[in-house]
Amino acid sequence: MPGTPKSPVTQKNLAVNGYHISGTPVHQLDSGHRSLRKASGEPQTPGSPAAPRRQSKESSLTINCVTFPHPDVMPEQQLLKPSEWSYCDYFWADKKDSQGNNTVSGFEILLQKQLKGKQTQKEMAEFVRERIKIEEEYAKNLSKLSQNSLAAQEEGTLGEAWAQLKKSLADEAEVHLKFSSKLQSEVEKPLLNFRENFKKDMKKCDHHIADLRKQLASRYAAVEKARKALTERQKDLEAKTQQLEVKLSNKTEEEIKKARRKSTQAGDDLMRCVDLYNQAQSKWFEEMVTTTLELERLEVERVEMIRQHLCQYTQLRHETDMFNQSTVELVDQLLRKVDPAKDRELWVKEHKTGDIRPVDMEI
């Protein structure tokens, strides 16, 4: 596939995909066409279009109205951003769609990636929302369980540890509620709100590049129409010249002069159309470079934004684990202090019925 389209951009030292930009127009008229303006005393007959067209095809070719350097004569590629795999270097040509029926422009492929990135970002926010719901439901169940009266009759040091364990569930529930709240404000909302008008902005961008491409196609059609008209004028002039060689007459000479004027005018029209085409391609080329680099910047920014908020998620998760650990530390301390002997002593003192033991009956 050819590289970057030839463009008459006048920026010095700019090179993309092997094409070094200069001020020279892409669609140069061949020597036959330029001969229309030769300053000579002899009448000039416009050259045959066959050889120049062959020369043009050897140096360049046009695909979907965009002119590319011919791959056989294209110099070694010099990328605009070497070794970076930049968007601005690899999306100049059109590509068949997945069904192979229609062509998709390189810019459209980049645009679809941007829109898919926005959709992925939205789905990540939905995933976090589900995580929040789980945390909220978990906190609700923990709080409810902490109020359960099961085993409330346990006494002593074990009873204290048991009561603290149930209280730790309430504390843990509070930790998970705070976690869910922070997930919503620090992860979910930023993912949802990042570039709210992104689709609208991308649509405007798409229309802008599409309009430039349509203008380029229109200018190319005008070039082909003017080229065809010039070919017809040249054939007409050649036919009348041959008639003059067979039979000299003033009428034939007048017809030749008239045909030569029309051929010259057709050559001028073709040069004007080529100039307008090159201007349109130059504008499209410049906007493509600028816009693809902007899309690249936006993609880097999107990825970095998501990375930062996912890091925030993991940080909040670590904090939650730390707080959860703190809720059971007091339970651990009380469990280490559980003393069955002491519990027995306390219980006996509270519930004893008498410390006089029975003795044998006397006769």
Side-chain angles (χ1 to χ4, degrees):
M1 178 61 67
T4 307
K6 289 186 175 181
S7 170
V9 180
T10 56
Q11 182 178 349
K12 294 183 179 179
N13 299 326
L14 177 61
V16 183
N17 281 8
Y19 181 69
H20 295 269
I21 306 304
S22 67
T24 305
V26 176
H27 275 280
Q28 292 286 8
L29 288 179
D30 50 71
S31 58
H33 296 158
R34 289 196 297 272
S35 68
L36 296 172
R37 297 182 177 274
K38 284 184 178 179
S40 172
E42 299 178 3
Q44 295 291 331
T45 300
S48 170
R53 291 288 291 200
R54 197 160 51 242
Q55 176 185 355
S56 176
K57 287 183 179 179
E58 288 176 357
S59 61
S60 65
L61 72 163
T62 302
I63 302 176
N64 291 342
C65 304
V66 180
T67 302
F68 295 91
H70 197 285
D72 293 340
V73 297
M74 184 172 59
E76 184 178 354
Q77 290 194 353
Q78 297 296 321
L79 302 179
L80 184 62
K81 300 179 73 176
S83 74
E84 293 189 29
W85 291 95
S86 175
Y87 290 169
C88 68
D89 283 320
Y90 297 98
F91 291 90
W92 291 105
D94 297 339
K95 184 179 182 180
K96 289 285 187 181
D97 62 15
S98 56
Q99 287 75 31
N101 299 324
N102 303 311
T103 57
V104 182
S105 69
F107 182 77
E108 184 66 24
I109 292 174
L110 289 176
L111 202 65
Q112 289 301 320
K113 175 172 176 53
Q114 297 291 317
L115 295 177
K116 286 180 181 179
K118 177 64 176 177
Q119 178 61 27
T120 301
Q121 174 186 320
K122 179 181 177 182
E123 291 176 4
M124 287 181 177
E126 292 175 356
F127 180 89
V128 175
R129 163 45 50 185
E130 291 301 314
R131 183 73 169 90
I132 291 171
K133 289 180 180 179
I134 292 172
E135 288 296 321
E136 290 174 342
E137 186 65 22
Y138 184 54
K140 178 181 177 181
N141 290 334
L142 283 177
S143 180
K144 181 179 179 181
L145 184 60
S146 69
Q147 299 172 14
N148 193 290
S149 60
L150 291 174
Q153 65 274 19
E154 184 63 55
E155 300 174 339
T157 55
L158 181 60
E160 291 179 13
W162 175 250
Q164 184 58 44
L165 186 147
K166 291 201 296 182
K167 182 178 180 302
S168 71
L169 295 183
D171 296 337
E172 187 178 352
E174 184 65 25
V175 169
H176 283 277
L177 276 179
K178 289 181 179 179
F179 176 49
S180 65
S181 178
K182 287 186 176 182
L183 278 181
Q184 183 178 27
S185 61
E186 299 179 20
V187 181
E188 182 199 14
K189 282 187 176 180
L191 287 174
L192 283 176
N193 297 335
F194 184 68
R195 296 177 185 161
E196 291 181 291
N197 299 322
F198 185 70
K199 287 187 177 180
K200 182 186 291 185
D201 294 340
M202 288 297 100
K203 192 173 183 180
K204 289 180 181 178
C205 187
D206 184 25
H207 286 169
H208 177 59
I209 297 296
D211 288 344
L212 291 176
R213 187 69 182 268
K214 288 177 182 177
Q215 184 184 51
L216 183 62
S218 175
R219 296 285 171 81
Y220 178 75
V223 168
E224 292 302 298
K225 183 178 179 181
R227 197 186 301 278
K228 182 179 179 181
L230 176 59
T231 301
E232 292 174 354
R233 294 301 183 190
Q234 288 175 330
K235 288 180 179 179
D236 182 55
L237 177 58
E238 184 178 353
K240 285 182 170 54
T241 302
Q242 291 175 355
Q243 290 177 9
L244 181 62
E245 293 175 354
V246 174
K247 180 181 179 181
L248 294 174
S249 69
N250 293 333
K251 182 179 180 181
T252 304
E253 289 181 358
E254 286 298 323
E255 289 178 349
I256 288 176
K257 290 180 181 179
K258 184 177 180 180
R260 183 175 291 117
R261 286 195 299 271
K262 289 183 178 180
S263 181
T264 302
Q265 180 61 48
D268 291 341
D269 290 343
L270 177 57
M271 286 190 287
R272 179 181 60 81
C273 289
V274 167
D275 184 55
L276 290 174
Y277 171 87
N278 286 336
Q279 291 178 28
Q281 181 164 265
S282 174
K283 179 64 176 176
W284 173 74
F285 177 88
E286 292 172 351
E287 290 298 317
M288 275 287 290
V289 172
T290 301
T291 307
T292 54
L293 287 176
E294 176 63 12
L295 293 181
E296 186 176 296
R297 184 192 67 80
L298 291 174
E299 177 64 7
V300 171
E301 187 179 76
R302 183 189 74 88
V303 172
E304 179 60 22
M305 180 278 298
I306 293 177
R307 187 193 70 81
Q308 289 180 0
H309 287 92
L310 293 184
C311 285
Q312 180 63 15
Y313 170 89
T314 59
Q315 177 63 28
L316 291 174
R317 187 71 180 83
H318 290 317
E319 291 177 0
T320 300
D321 291 340
M322 182 181 66
F323 290 139
N324 282 338
Q325 183 62 33
S326 67
T327 61
V328 296
E329 287 179 356
L330 184 56
V331 177
D332 287 336
Q333 294 175 9
L334 292 175
L335 286 174
R336 285 193 291 269
K337 294 180 179 179
V338 170
D339 186 347
K342 184 176 181 181
D343 287 352
R344 184 175 63 252
E345 175 186 347
L346 293 174
W347 186 85
V348 169
K349 286 181 177 179
E350 181 177 356
H351 298 283
K352 65 180 180 180
T353 58
D355 56 0
I356 300 176
R357 297 184 299 278
V359 294
D360 291 340
M361 180 184 296
E362 295 179 358
I363 299 177

